[in-house]
Amino acid sequence: MNIIYATYNIHHYSIGVYTYAGYFLLIDCNKAEEGLKTTPCSECALNALAIDEPLEYARLYLDGNMQMWVDAEDSLEVW
């Protein structure tokens, strides 16, 4: 799937993905994050990613690498 761009919808906590083929995919962030093992810090990072970089968030979700990204974020925490 060749993605043109993605936008974040603050009212529905979702990301709309538009493709070259004219398709529109709506990612419900609540469903995408369901079952992830997160900490408060990684939850905040996920929210920031969805808002600031919706295309990257969509890519992580569609590739199935979201938990790996969350784990990497959690390993960066400094106590």
Side-chain angles (χ1 to χ4, degrees):
M1 171 178 5
N2 292 324
I3 297 173
I4 296 175
Y5 65 94
T7 59
Y8 175 73
N9 184 323
I10 193 168
H11 302 292
H12 298 286
Y13 192 49
S14 63
I15 294 177
V17 179
Y18 301 85
T19 68
Y20 282 109
Y23 293 107
F24 172 73
L25 173 68
L26 184 66
I27 298 173
D28 181 344
C29 296
N30 288 318
K31 293 289 183 183
E33 296 171 15
E34 197 171 83
L36 291 178
K37 296 175 184 159
T38 62
T39 63
C41 181
S42 59
E43 284 181 25
C44 182
L46 273 172
N47 290 341
L49 183 68
I51 294 166
D52 298 334
E53 299 289 336
L55 188 58
E56 179 65 14
Y57 184 102
R59 187 188 62 75
L60 286 170
Y61 175 69
L62 294 172
D63 288 345
N65 294 326
M66 197 167 267
Q67 184 64 58
M68 187 171 32
W69 185 88
V70 167
D71 293 342
E73 281 294 313
D74 285 337
S75 70
L76 296 175
E77 287 183 25
V78 177
W79 295 97

